[in-house]
Amino acid sequence: MTTLFEPISAGRLQLANRIVMAPLTRNRAPGAVPTPLMATYYAQRASAGLLITEATAISHQGQGYSDVPGLYAPEQIEGWKRVTQAVHQAGGKIVVQLWHVGRVSHTELQPDGGAPVAPSAIRAKTKTVLIKEGVPTFVETSEPRALALDEMPGIVDDYRRAALAAIEAGFDGVEIHAANGYLIDQFLKTGSNQRTDAYGGSIENRARLLQEVTQAVTDAIGGDRTGIRLSPVTPANDALDTDPQPLFEHVMRLLAPMGLAYVHFIEGATGGPREIADRPFDYLALRETFRTAGGRAAWMVNNGYDLALAEKSLEQGADLIAFGKLYIANPDLVQRLKQSGPFNEPDRATFYGGGEKGYTDYPALAAA
Ligand code: 8OZ
């Protein structure tokens, strides 16, 4: 039987175990620049097989929340260098999650106060976080504008440049954020995409941006250090597709030949129930499609995992398990899982924004 604590390779990434720190938005990068405190936070968690950073904007246009980091300006790359050095010094591996929020943004966060961009001019029924004088407040997202066809190559190029910047910053690879109702997911799903051009309508067209972005990133840095995150049925950020199973089967056939390091699934509702009554989904059938199409990427799963569920999932053929809330509160999660706990409880009040409190001050076992 495979256990969580055995090494595995995912493409070029040689991982010490199958435990992954899920990407977690923490809103502690004022001016979108990663801080030394962030280096401490990630280095504390370096015993994970793989760390995935919080979602990181590929462009100013791609930003949708206050104080989330970016990866498009020189000072951001310099800030991330401190993070990757600290993690590597602690013996860890880290990839950066590349993010364009699309319509999940606010004019206050956009260049020149313009409208956020989207596949179609349909407002998301969701909120974003603006931090005013240190206080996070949830506000409705702004009315978006539909991207013009001739803007699409620029978006793809922003992902490509961010992937190259990631390598310059010392990351071991990147994860393309194609989940949770952000730009790529907005293109994939019928609820947010009503385009009638080459990026809308058929499944093939709705998956075109995902395909072009993944191709551009893998061409730039290599598929074997590229991962991608998908959330077929999550309602997060007003994501909705009327028929997700064939949509994601198509996505699997697109991705299979790209030589990716891993594919990462949020099963069910992000941060919520793993089963959604009116949105059934067959993840094992999806993996079968991927493997049959020649896909060899490591299969990473996420959402509400504990030790027992993680081991069951490994038995059923998953390769990597990503832990979110447990990683917020337990920097030494690998050790704690090894001895079946105890686990610190995460404090919701300090998830988004702030400083050390609820960030770098969760005690490790030896200190607890
Ligand atoms: C929580 C708060 C803000 C953003 C995601 C990047 O859901 C996020 C996110 C989560 O993928």
Side-chain angles (χ1 to χ4, degrees):
M1 197 189 95
T2 316
T3 82
L4 273 175
F5 310 102
E6 287 171 39
I8 184 172
S9 52
R12 202 186 305 191
L13 310 171
Q14 307 282 326
L15 309 179
N17 57 59
R18 287 129 191 278
I19 297 163
V20 175
M21 179 183 174
L24 295 161
T25 290
R26 305 304 306 274
N27 307 73
R28 281 166 168 85
V33 178
T35 65
L37 189 63
M38 286 166 60
T40 303
Y41 162 76
Y42 284 109
Q44 284 176 342
R45 288 156 178 78
S47 58
L50 182 66
L51 306 176
I52 304 171
T53 71
E54 62 209 275
T56 297
I58 59 162
S59 61
H60 186 173
Q61 183 196 67
Q63 186 185 343
Y65 303 79
S66 283
D67 298 356
V68 295
L71 186 50
Y72 51 89
E75 63 273 23
Q76 296 165 348
I77 297 173
E78 291 310 306
W80 281 122
K81 277 184 188 165
R82 281 195 298 256
V83 173
T84 60
Q85 280 161 8
V87 169
H88 290 151
Q89 231 154 47
K93 296 272 163 72
I94 184 167
V95 299
V96 60
Q97 195 192 43
L98 303 183
W99 192 29
H100 190 309
V101 296
R103 65 180 182 165
V104 185
S105 188
H106 193 278
T107 52
E108 277 191 35
L109 299 165
Q110 287 292 302
D112 307 317
V117 299
S120 302
I122 306 167
R123 194 171 185 160
K125 292 181 204 69
T126 188
K127 294 191 171 173
T128 178
V129 184
L130 296 180
I131 297 178
K132 306 254 182 172
E133 277 138 38
V135 184
T137 45
F138 288 86
V139 297
E140 300 287 331
T141 53
S142 304
E143 183 78 29
R145 69 172 179 85
L147 281 161
L149 191 57
D150 67 5
E151 290 178 282
M152 300 307 292
I155 302 266
V156 175
D157 202 53
D158 286 341
Y159 278 95
R160 184 187 62 82
R161 282 189 288 111
L164 291 170
I167 299 311
E168 186 187 341
F171 284 106
D172 297 292
V174 305
E175 174 176 290
I176 298 165
H177 192 348
N180 291 348
Y182 297 112
L183 185 68
I184 295 175
D185 204 28
Q186 288 159 31
F187 270 86
L188 285 175
K189 292 176 178 168
T190 50
S192 39
N193 185 345
Q194 295 182 355
R195 297 176 76 95
T196 53
D197 62 10
Y199 291 89
S202 65
I203 282 175
E204 288 74 15
N205 283 355
R206 282 183 278 127
R208 191 174 308 283
L209 178 62
L210 178 147
Q211 179 176 18
E212 290 179 347
V213 165
T214 312
Q215 194 65 57
V217 167
T218 59
D219 285 349
I221 67 163
D224 60 354
R225 49 179 170 171
T226 301
I228 189 166
R229 193 175 209 216
L230 302 164
S231 57
V233 294
T234 192
N237 293 314
D238 202 14
L240 175 67
D241 190 78
T242 46
D243 202 4
Q245 194 79 38
L247 169 62
F248 283 87
E249 305 273 342
H250 172 72
V251 168
M252 289 299 99
R253 287 188 293 268
L254 280 182
L255 296 178
M258 291 190 181
L260 298 176
Y262 69 85
V263 288
H264 180 182
F265 290 92
I266 300 163
E267 299 163 328
T270 311
R274 295 176 45 78
E275 307 278 350
I276 311 173
D278 61 342
R279 299 187 186 196
F281 197 85
D282 188 342
Y283 297 93
L284 294 182
L286 202 66
R287 190 167 72 213
E288 194 53 40
T289 299
F290 184 65
R291 297 291 185 228
T292 302
R296 293 170 52 204
W299 196 267
M300 185 189 296
V301 294
N302 169 246
N303 205 17
Y305 276 86
D306 60 15
L307 184 59
L309 194 58
E311 282 179 342
K312 188 171 153 217
S313 193
L314 289 181
E315 264 171 53
Q316 290 173 349
D319 300 304
L320 294 161
I321 315 287
F323 297 88
K325 282 192 278 292
L326 274 172
Y327 250 120
I328 289 183
N330 298 279
D332 53 347
L333 184 62
V334 172
Q335 185 57 37
R336 289 172 188 264
L337 287 169
K338 229 177 227 168
Q339 58 183 69
S340 303
F343 302 100
N344 300 321
E345 282 299 315
D347 167 28
R348 270 186 185 280
T350 50
F351 279 4
Y352 309 116
E356 294 178 21
K357 190 171 174 310
Y359 191 55
T360 49
D361 64 351
Y362 286 105
L365 271 172

